[in-house]
Amino acid sequence: MEIKLYTHSGACHADDVFAVAILQTAFEGNSIRVIRTRNPVELKQAAGMPLTFLLDVGGVYDPAELLFDHHQPQGAGYRQPDIKEWPYATAGLVWRHYGAQAVSQMHPSLTSAQVNEVVDAIDDQVLKYIDAVDCGIRFKSHGPSLSGIIASFNAASFETGEDSFPLVCDLARVLLTNFINRQVAKISAMVQVRNSAKLSQGRVLKLEACVPWVSVVADEMPGVKMVVYPVIQPDRHVWQMRVAVDTGPNGQNRLTLPANWGGLEHHALATATGVKDALFCHRSLHLAGAASFEGIISMAEKALAMHQDDRVALAA
């Protein structure tokens, strides 16, 4: 069967681009044709036809008829309707109805609860921001947003470049795939993290692989101060330790590594720590490495002891 995706011609935006990418992922294996037009007659004829989506065009939101626009006077609703925050645009609407299908298409072994967790997380972390920008909301930014990156592919006023829509759709699919895979990895990692060994009176968590652990430790393991894990490098395996953080959006580090370790490497760090195979300590005092598990545990225990000494001194 052939699925037709109608969206507007002209400049491409993250909203319409991600809507197309979501449906391409959800209907992987089917023939999909993207038609870009603003011709009202053509759009009216296409509206309501079987296997035909209208995305960001047509002036109607009706998922039963595969119509996904948000430009109508009443809009297409809000994620938080009581306070009218986080409005829906086309990408979010399509994700709302087809996100689960896209995730299941990529990861068919997930349970429905796990699929829904991935869908909710990606909407909260990615799509609601794309929708907000498309609805005219501006954010203070420390760099380009996804919406800005997609918009950068449109030709400048002095250019007559080729249609960039196929290219940015491919880019959006790569990004969407990464977002989904990353969230699925977090879910699968939770069990590994919860079952990992605790050392040093429960203050150090030992992982057998570097998997996503921050949120589980922050939310469920208040006694863990540091996490150690192996890092595979081309010529060897080394170990790293990272300071755990408290829960919340501005989670604070549960301790800092000794100040005299900061920024040191190899021999200088080995001298400062007394650990022969110490490799580095980040200048921000949250991350350090050693060549062996024994070395990293030794560094962790020394850091814990110095942290405890500092607390005792402050209390006195």
Side-chain angles (χ1 to χ4, degrees), residues 237-240 275 277-279 289-298:
H237 291 189
V238 300
W239 283 80
Q240 290 185 0
V275 177
D277 64 353
L279 295 176
S292 67
F293 171 69
E294 293 76 15
I296 205 68
I297 284 297
S298 179

Side-chain angles (χ1 to χ4, degrees), residues 189 192-193 195-199 205-211 213 227-232 237-240 293:
Q192 298 178 52
V193 175
N195 292 335
S196 293
K198 291 179 182 176
L199 310 173
L205 186 73
K206 178 192 176 186
L207 302 179
E208 297 300 330
C210 185
V211 297
W213 56 266
V227 178
V228 301
Y229 48 85
V231 176
I232 300 174
H237 291 189
V238 300
W239 283 80
Q240 290 185 0
F293 171 69

Side-chain angles (χ1 to χ4, degrees), residues 55-311:
L55 308 172
D56 215 28
V57 290
V60 177
Y61 168 48
D62 184 349
E65 295 293 323
L66 309 184
L67 306 177
F68 293 91
D69 200 6
H70 65 106
H71 293 101
Q72 50 274 21
Q74 72 274 23
Y78 295 83
R79 289 167 173 81
Q80 296 176 268
D82 293 344
I83 54 177
K84 294 187 176 180
E85 283 193 355
W86 299 109
Y88 278 105
T90 295
L93 294 173
V94 171
W95 185 251
R96 181 181 182 183
H97 294 279
Y98 291 92
Q101 183 173 329
V103 173
S104 296
Q105 179 74 19
M106 288 180 57
H107 295 278
S109 63
L110 294 180
T111 66
S112 59
Q114 290 172 328
V115 168
N116 290 335
E117 185 176 346
V118 174
V119 169
D120 290 345
I122 292 175
D123 185 68
D124 186 59
Q125 297 168 14
V126 180
L127 289 166
K128 75 177 186 182
Y129 292 97
I130 292 175
D131 283 7
V133 170
D134 203 77
C135 290
I137 298 171
R138 295 294 176 260
F139 300 96
K140 291 182 180 179
S141 173
H142 298 292
S145 65
L146 273 178
S147 298
I149 291 170
I150 296 297
S152 73
F153 284 83
N154 293 311
S157 58
F158 55 84
E159 294 177 318
T160 57
E162 297 180 1
D163 180 14
S164 62
F165 194 81
L167 174 62
V168 291
C169 281
D170 288 343
L171 172 61
R173 284 203 70 183
V174 170
L175 292 171
L176 182 64
T177 296
N178 291 346
F179 294 142
I180 291 173
N181 284 341
R182 190 177 184 88
Q183 199 60 40
V184 170
K186 286 183 180 180
I187 292 173
S188 63
M190 286 181 179
V191 175
Q192 298 178 52
V193 175
R194 289 173 181 141
N195 292 335
S196 293
K198 291 179 182 176
L199 310 173
S200 300
Q201 295 80 48
R203 296 175 297 171
V204 177
L205 186 73
K206 178 192 176 186
L207 302 179
E208 297 300 330
C210 185
V211 297
W213 56 266
V214 173
S215 61
V216 177
V217 172
D219 294 339
E220 303 178 18
M221 302 180 184
V224 170
K225 304 299 183 183
M226 284 184 286
V227 178
V228 301
Y229 48 85
V231 176
I232 300 174
Q233 297 184 345
D235 56 342
R236 59 178 175 172
H237 291 189
V238 300
W239 283 80
Q240 290 185 0
M241 66 178 183
R242 194 177 186 100
V243 174
V245 299
D246 287 322
T247 189
N250 299 313
Q252 298 295 313
N253 288 343
R254 291 179 178 172
L255 58 77
T256 56
L257 300 178
N260 65 320
W261 296 6
L264 300 183
E265 296 182 352
H266 303 295
H267 179 70
L269 183 60
T271 300
T273 61
V275 177
K276 292 182 179 179
D277 64 353
L279 295 176
F280 75 94
C281 179
H282 196 284
R283 61 185 298 272
S284 296
L285 304 176
H286 71 288
L287 177 69
S292 67
F293 171 69
E294 293 76 15
I296 205 68
I297 284 297
S298 179
M299 290 177 69
E301 290 178 343
K302 289 174 182 289
L304 287 167
M306 295 178 74
H307 175 68
Q308 184 64 32
D309 290 344
D310 289 343
R311 292 182 64 183

